Amino acid sequence: HEWAGSKRWEKVEDLSHEFYNLGHMVEGAVAHYQATGQKNFLNIAIRYADCVCREIGDKPGQQVKVPGHQIAEMALAKLYVVTGDKKYLDEAKFFLDKRGYTERKDEYSQAHKPILEQNEAVGHAVRAAYMYSGIADVAALTGDQEYIDAIDRIWENVVTKKLYITGGIGATGSGEAFGKNYELPNMSAYCETCAAIGNVYWNYRLFTMYSNVPFIMAYCRGFLWTVGLSFIPILWNLSASINVRPGSDVPVARRMPAVLFLLFRDIFML
């Protein structure tokens, strides 16, 4: 496909999503291993991660690339926690350290400046939240004070200027992105569910690092109001029990009573 280019990593900072796929694969493999104790999927993911660690870096013969769509950063940090192999944490930090120094330099992908110089949430909200989660992971695992200061600055910008009362982030549909400070329209709010999930990831990490109430409050607001409420239409559709009337082969969908449905809705909105 034209998005992938003619060779490996050629368009990884653009649309190929090779590192993005790595991130989700590792996340899934780690979850599978933790749930089952089986390493069959984990070993496959490790081979992919090893390929990236071998070919991407700043040593002779390696290429300096960063993810076009972030998530590999927090996945590699998680792989380090599971395996104890520090090269995965080093690779996660490499991806973050090199952001703003490669061919990709734009606000949309949070590559407009090095992460240690950033103090405002900008660009594609999903990419941003995944990257901020990765910064929090590396900050917690390394104790790097510059990383801690950077992620604190960006978090402060979001919760004071770019967060909806519902916990939604990413105000504008143009680029599925953060708007300017205090740009939080009501009728046109984009607030993608994936961005809310990323915000949940981010605040969970900061809460485990600091154990402070504001982080868990932001976590709960994003999870219950934005992520939780997005499942209400799904719950309504799945609530249909299929019955067959006597003498008829035509199934009839009988949904849950409206009162029960509204009860579930109100629980999510507490």
Side-chain angles (χ1 to χ4, degrees):
H1 194 280
E2 62 181 12
W3 286 7
S6 59
K7 56 185 178 181
R8 182 184 290 172
W9 322 131
E10 182 180 4
K11 294 190 176 182
V12 74
E13 294 188 358
D14 189 13
L15 292 171
S16 75
H17 279 29
E18 289 158 278
F19 294 158
Y20 180 69
N21 295 339
L22 165 71
H24 279 299
M25 183 180 189
V26 168
E27 289 275 351
V30 169
H32 178 265
Y33 168 66
Q34 291 174 330
T36 67
Q38 299 175 7
K39 291 188 175 181
N40 50 336
F41 187 16
L42 181 65
N43 289 336
I44 296 170
I46 286 174
R47 289 201 295 271
Y48 190 3
D50 287 347
C51 172
V52 172
C53 291
R54 181 177 63 252
E55 298 193 9
I56 304 298
D58 51 11
K59 297 176 182 177
Q62 293 183 310
Q63 298 183 53
V64 178
K65 300 282 187 179
V66 298
H69 193 311
Q70 300 92 315
I71 200 175
E73 299 87 347
M74 61 178 181
L76 288 166
K78 186 174 290 186
L79 191 59
Y80 159 68
V81 172
V82 169
T83 65
D85 193 331
K86 191 171 179 293
K87 72 180 178 184
Y88 303 125
L89 178 60
D90 292 341
E91 191 73 10
K93 191 172 186 299
F94 171 84
F95 281 153
L96 294 167
D97 285 344
K98 293 301 179 182
R99 201 156 203 89
Y101 291 104
T102 66
E103 294 179 0
R104 187 75 188 258
K105 291 183 175 69
D106 60 334
E107 284 194 354
Y108 177 80
S109 66
Q110 301 76 44
H112 56 301
K113 61 175 71 173
I115 64 165
L116 297 182
E117 298 176 15
Q118 296 186 28
N119 54 19
E120 180 181 355
V122 298
H124 189 261
V126 180
R127 284 170 163 83
Y130 286 173
M131 187 182 82
Y132 302 152
S133 299
I135 295 173
D137 277 335
V138 172
L141 292 169
T142 65
D144 189 311
Q145 190 61 48
E146 289 186 301
Y147 266 60
I148 294 171
D149 292 342
I151 200 59
D152 284 351
R153 289 194 305 270
I154 299 169
W155 185 85
E156 184 72 17
N157 172 252
V158 170
V159 297
T160 60
K161 299 179 177 71
K162 299 192 177 187
L163 181 71
Y164 281 87
I165 194 172
T166 60
I169 59 173
T172 174
S174 176
E176 303 175 334
F178 286 102
K180 298 177 182 178
N181 287 336
Y182 305 109
E183 183 184 354
L184 298 167
N186 291 324
M187 294 301 292
S188 62
Y190 192 75
C191 293
E192 185 180 352
T193 303
C194 290
I197 292 171
N199 196 34
V200 167
Y201 290 158
W202 180 16
N203 280 281
Y204 171 77
R205 283 158 170 77
L206 291 178
F207 176 71
T208 58
M209 186 164 67
Y210 287 115
S211 298
N212 285 350
V213 171
F215 302 114
I216 200 62
M217 291 299 293
Y219 167 91
C220 290
R221 178 175 293 182
F223 181 77
L224 295 175
W225 279 75
T226 309
V227 179
L229 286 175
S230 69
F231 283 96
I232 286 181
I234 300 173
L235 177 65
W236 175 254
N237 287 325
L238 292 179
S239 71
S241 59
I242 304 301
N243 298 278
V244 179
R245 292 173 179 166
S248 172
D249 293 329
V250 180
V252 178
R254 302 184 187 278
R255 300 191 182 279
M256 72 165 68
V259 172
L260 185 58
F261 168 75
L262 294 174
L263 175 62
F264 275 111
R265 182 202 65 180
D266 292 342
I267 289 173
F268 275 119
M269 292 179 68
L270 287 176

